[in-house]
Amino acid sequence: MSELIAQSPADPLALAREWIPASVHPGPLMTLATIDEDGLPDARSVLLTELDADGFHFHTDLASRKVAQLRAHPEVALCIPLVAEARQLTVQGRAREADAAELARAYAARPPYLQQLAWLNSHEFAELPQPERVSRWQAFAAAHPDGFAQAPGWTGFVVEPVRMTFWFGSTETASRRLEYRRGDDGWRAHVRAG
Ligand SMILES: Cc1cc2nc3c(=O)[nH]c(=O)nc-3n(C[C@H](O)[C@H](O)[C@H](O)COP(=O)(O)O)c2cc1C
C-alpha cells in the first residue's frame, strides 16, 4: 500500500475536515458545477457553510437558477482550491436539499448582511436604479432593528460525495493526488499523478 494511503484517514470526509477546519468562517469559496436544462455544464462560486459527515453544505436562494437545475439533476461537482496551502479538493456527488432544522440553524449563523440579502436578493430588486437599491436596503435594515426572521427564499443543499480527490502540490517534487471512490463496500483510495 502506498505510504500516502497508509497515512491518510479511511474516510475522505475526515481528511477534508483536516484540510478545512470548522473554525474557518466563512468557509472557503467553492466552484459548484451543475447541469442546465440543455444538458450544458453551468458553474458559479458559493461559500462552503458546513462540512460534516454527510458532506458539503451550501446555502442559496430558492428562486435561483442553480436550485432549478439541482432539482432536475442532483449530480454536481465541486472544486475547492486551497491555494495558500498548495492544495485542491475536487468532489463529485449528489446534492439533496437540507432539512428545516439545518436551514434554521444556518440562517441564524449568517452575518446580518447575508440574512438581509436573503430577503432582498430578487430580480425586481436587481433591476432598480442603484440609489433606490441603497435607500431600500437601508430602510429594510431600519425596519428590522431586532434582526431578521428567516427569509422565505432561504434554502440550502448538502453534497453527498461519491468521489473526492485531494491534490497535493509540492515545490520539491511532482504534485500528486489521492482519489477516493465510494463503492458498495465503502471508500477505496488510489494514488494518482498530479
Ligand atoms: C465570493 C462569492 C461568494 C458567493 N457565495 C454565494 C453563496 O454562498 N450562495 C449563493 O447562492 N451565491 C453565492 N454567490 C453568488 C453566486 O456565485 C451566483 O452569482 C448566484 O448564486 C447565482 O447563481 P445561479 O444563477 O447559477 O443560481 C457568491 C459569489 C461570490 C463572488
Side-chain angles (χ1 to χ4, degrees):
M1 180 194 281
S2 135
E3 127 280 358
L4 180 58
I5 294 176
Q7 290 165 4
S8 303
D11 178 358
L13 283 160
L15 181 55
R17 288 203 296 275
E18 284 176 21
W19 278 26
I20 306 168
S23 54
V24 177
H25 278 292
L29 205 56
M30 30 185 214
T31 299
L32 165 70
T34 50
I35 303 163
D36 80 2
E37 62 278 16
D38 297 318
L40 290 173
D42 200 355
R44 78 291 288 154
S45 306
V46 292
L47 289 170
L48 174 66
T49 36
E50 266 181 66
L51 172 56
D52 61 18
D54 290 335
F56 297 78
H57 299 244
F58 65 89
H59 294 88
T60 190
D61 193 306
L62 258 183
S64 68
R65 210 170 41 174
K66 73 180 86 51
V67 171
Q69 293 172 354
L70 290 170
R71 286 181 172 171
H73 300 285
E75 299 82 9
V76 301
L78 302 172
C79 181
I80 309 174
L82 302 165
V83 177
E85 293 86 13
R87 290 172 171 173
Q88 173 183 255
L89 171 57
T90 48
V91 177
Q92 283 182 308
R94 291 185 181 79
R96 69 164 164 81
E97 287 188 69
D99 62 34
E102 195 226 286
L103 291 180
R105 184 163 38 83
Y107 189 81
R110 285 240 141 165
Y113 173 86
L114 292 175
Q115 291 183 343
Q116 184 170 342
L117 183 64
W119 279 95
L120 298 180
N121 195 23
S122 68
H123 184 66
E124 294 69 36
F125 198 84
E127 285 202 320
L128 295 172
Q130 184 70 357
E132 197 174 339
R133 286 163 36 76
V134 172
S135 61
R136 284 207 197 183
W137 183 275
Q138 290 169 348
F140 191 89
H144 298 86
D146 300 325
F148 307 103
Q150 189 175 320
W154 173 253
T155 192
F157 288 80
V158 55
V159 175
E160 296 174 332
V162 295
R163 185 161 73 106
M164 292 173 61
T165 307
F166 298 79
W167 181 90
F168 297 76
S170 171
T171 53
E172 297 171 327
T173 183
S175 55
R176 63 178 171 175
R177 292 173 295 164
L178 179 59
E179 180 188 277
Y180 292 83
R181 283 175 179 271
R182 200 170 63 196
D184 293 340
D185 53 348
W187 290 101
R188 287 274 172 86
H190 307 271
V191 176
R192 307 273 186 225

